[in-house]
Amino acid sequence: MSTRRVVITGLGLLSPMGNEVESSWNNLLSGVNPVKPIQYFDTTDYDTKFAASLPSFEPEKYLEKKEIRRLDRFIQYGVAASKECIIDSGIDESNANFERIGVSIGSGIGGLGTIENYANVLHQSGTKKISPFFVPGSIINMVSGYVSIKFGFKGPNISIASACSSASHSIGYSFRNIAHGDAELMITGGAEMGITPLSVSGFNASKALSTRNDEPEKASRPWDKDRDGFVVGEGAGCLMLEELEHAKLRGAKIYGEIIGFGMSADAFHMTAPPETGEGATLAMRNALSDAKINSSDIQYINAHGTSTPVGDLAESLAIKKVFGEDSSKFIVSSTKSMTGHLLGAAGAVEAIYSLLSIRDNIVPPTINLDNPSEGCDLNYSAHNATEIPVKKSISNSFGFGGTNATLVFSELK
């Protein structure tokens, strides 16, 4: 049970919509579509030839040349988002208690690009050509570890790897760490670079990715009857969580409050949710219970909404189970219709968007939703952003292995 109140005082974001919080948010509200052909490798023999990439990335703004050489891109993204988050939070690093600042940044697949590269080096040139930085430059926990090392934060340090729920689980873990007094501040979120040959091949093999190569800009279409899989994305999102009184004492800017966190397991299948959405139902109910609020208190749900045939329907059914007749009184949207699926970073990026919905009283659209499929009959804010008062919002994340996480955010009262 939460005992101390936890607020959000800083944001950092690298997303296909933009490498800065406000520009990314504005592009999202305008329905900008960043999906385009993959530039990182030759896709001639691939079933899917497109992705949602970052518009640009300049690692030298955040890291030294030797660090760039040693660290996988997902770690670079995490460091960049963390630095932006720290700056935004206004923490006085000369006066902060670093022993009370923790880091929890998750990832779903980690340094897969680096692993692919060194597998090729091994086969082509032998063991003597493997760098001593191969392992530390690619393992999932190094994103949290490196942020801790680079900025000197000595509080709780952990990376959670729970597939596409990684960032949301990390945020929930950080929330509870602060609530129970283990830290005053936590930099938390997720980072991912999943646009690699092996990643795309693997998701293609499991029939998870859209193959709409003739119209890639229309490929991510949550709840639409013509959806055929998700669009892989890349990036990172970081939030500074802080104990409320600590934030007030230093006069911090406060975006909102995190008031609930719920988890569950499908206990069903490696990659597919139960069609009835039982696991998602339980996660949302647990989050609402933790927040001590009623279903009628929610105005917006940033859905997991990946654009997969089974997943989208299961989540819609779960929402209707949890909220009942209140399901018609709020808006659900999928920002993945624009960003694509950032895998282990998705929950952090979507948490940021959920907070900004509260700040600005507006819900992002779900683009490409032309013909909702049977059973998908909620208000999905199709095509255009919707201006409504948003006091409380939910962000859902569900991952392979049947792992589910739900976060509840609120305006500060």
Side-chain angles (χ1 to χ4, degrees):
M1 181 179 294
S2 302
T3 55
R4 303 199 304 170
R5 294 176 68 182
V6 181
V7 295
I8 300 90
T9 57
L11 302 175
L13 182 64
L14 301 179
S15 118
M17 307 306 293
N19 292 342
E20 186 268 334
V21 171
E22 297 302 333
S23 63
S24 175
W25 176 237
N26 290 332
N27 286 334
L28 193 83
L29 295 178
S30 299
V32 171
N33 193 323
V35 178
K36 58 187 178 182
I38 293 171
Q39 302 296 315
Y40 291 123
F41 55 91
D42 182 359
T43 61
T44 300
D45 296 328
Y46 290 75
D47 293 336
T48 295
K49 305 178 186 299
F50 55 88
S53 303
L54 296 181
S56 64
F57 180 60
E58 301 176 62
E60 59 274 8
K61 289 175 58 177
Y62 310 97
L63 296 159
E64 297 178 9
K65 288 184 179 180
K66 65 178 182 180
E67 295 175 306
I68 297 170
R69 290 195 304 269
R70 294 171 179 175
L71 301 174
D72 187 88
R73 295 271 285 193
F74 93 99
I75 300 175
Q76 297 177 31
Y77 294 167
V79 171
S82 293
K83 186 171 183 178
E84 296 298 329
C85 181
I86 292 166
I87 293 170
D88 187 47
S89 72
I91 292 174
D92 182 356
E93 294 185 53
S94 66
N95 193 38
N97 182 355
F98 283 17
E99 292 183 0
R100 299 288 291 167
I101 304 176
V103 186
S104 180
I105 302 172
S107 184
I109 58 177
L112 190 57
T114 295
I115 294 170
E116 291 177 42
N117 176 59
Y118 278 108
N120 290 331
V121 170
L122 177 65
H123 290 301
Q124 294 171 11
S125 304
T127 62
K128 300 302 182 183
K129 295 296 182 180
I130 301 298
S131 167
F133 296 104
F134 159 51
V135 172
S138 61
I139 54 178
I140 285 178
N141 79 300
M142 195 53 67
V143 64
S144 284
Y146 209 83
V147 168
S148 170
I149 293 165
K150 192 167 185 65
F151 299 105
F153 302 139
K154 298 179 180 179
N157 186 281
I158 189 171
S159 287
I160 294 176
S162 55
C164 302
S165 298
S166 299
S168 292
H169 277 129
S170 296
I171 295 168
Y173 167 83
S174 298
F175 163 54
R176 290 186 174 171
N177 251 13
I178 295 172
H180 291 290
D182 293 328
E184 299 300 328
L185 303 100
M186 292 285 297
I187 299 175
T188 184
E192 201 81 271
M193 200 304 182
I195 309 174
T196 75
L198 194 55
S199 174
V200 174
S201 296
F203 284 125
N204 273 152
S206 64
K207 307 298 183 185
L209 291 183
S210 170
T211 57
R212 191 185 286 260
N213 294 303
D214 55 337
E215 293 181 307
E217 71 281 358
K218 297 182 179 180
S220 187
R221 45 194 319 112
W223 301 296
D224 191 87
K225 69 179 182 62
D226 294 324
R227 66 191 185 276
D228 70 327
F230 71 81
V231 175
V232 67
E234 61 172 339
C238 287
L239 301 83
M240 183 69 77
L241 304 192
E242 186 168 354
E243 193 273 325
L244 174 59
E245 296 306 318
H246 187 278
K248 285 182 176 179
L249 188 63
R250 68 180 187 89
K253 169 183 60 182
I254 295 175
Y255 285 96
E257 183 176 4
I258 178 169
I259 61 172
F261 173 48
M263 297 180 285
S264 73
D266 292 339
F268 178 72
H269 189 271
M270 289 174 64
T271 60
E275 293 181 359
T276 55
E278 292 172 10
T281 299
L282 183 57
M284 285 186 278
R285 283 178 174 162
N286 288 342
L288 291 171
S289 175
D290 187 46
K292 300 178 178 62
I293 61 173
N294 298 315
S295 61
S296 59
D297 294 320
I298 299 297
Q299 288 81 42
Y300 172 49
I301 295 179
N302 191 317
H304 187 57
T306 59
S307 189
T308 55
V310 175
D312 288 2
L313 177 58
E315 185 173 12
S316 290
L317 293 175
I319 290 170
K320 285 185 276 189
K321 283 183 181 179
V322 173
F323 293 91
E325 62 182 25
D326 290 325
S327 300
S328 62
K329 300 177 182 177
F330 57 78
I331 297 177
V332 181
S333 78
S334 173
T335 51
K336 288 186 182 75
S337 63
M338 291 164 281
T339 67
H341 192 352
L342 275 68
L343 308 176
V349 173
E350 290 154 18
I352 290 171
Y353 294 151
S354 299
L355 277 165
L356 296 178
S357 288
I358 293 172
R359 185 193 70 178
D360 295 345
N361 289 305
I362 190 168
V363 170
T366 302
I367 68 169
N368 295 325
L369 179 51
D370 299 323
N371 298 293
S373 63
E374 185 177 353
C376 298
D377 52 2
L378 300 171
N379 182 350
Y380 300 115
S381 193
H383 304 299
N384 297 300
T386 305
E387 293 188 39
I388 59 166
V390 182
K391 306 299 183 184
K392 292 179 174 59
S393 62
I394 276 177
S395 182
N396 280 335
S397 295
F398 313 133
F400 281 2
T403 180
N404 307 302
T406 297
L407 299 164
V408 185
F409 298 99
S410 174
E411 64 175 356
L412 183 63
K413 293 182 179 180

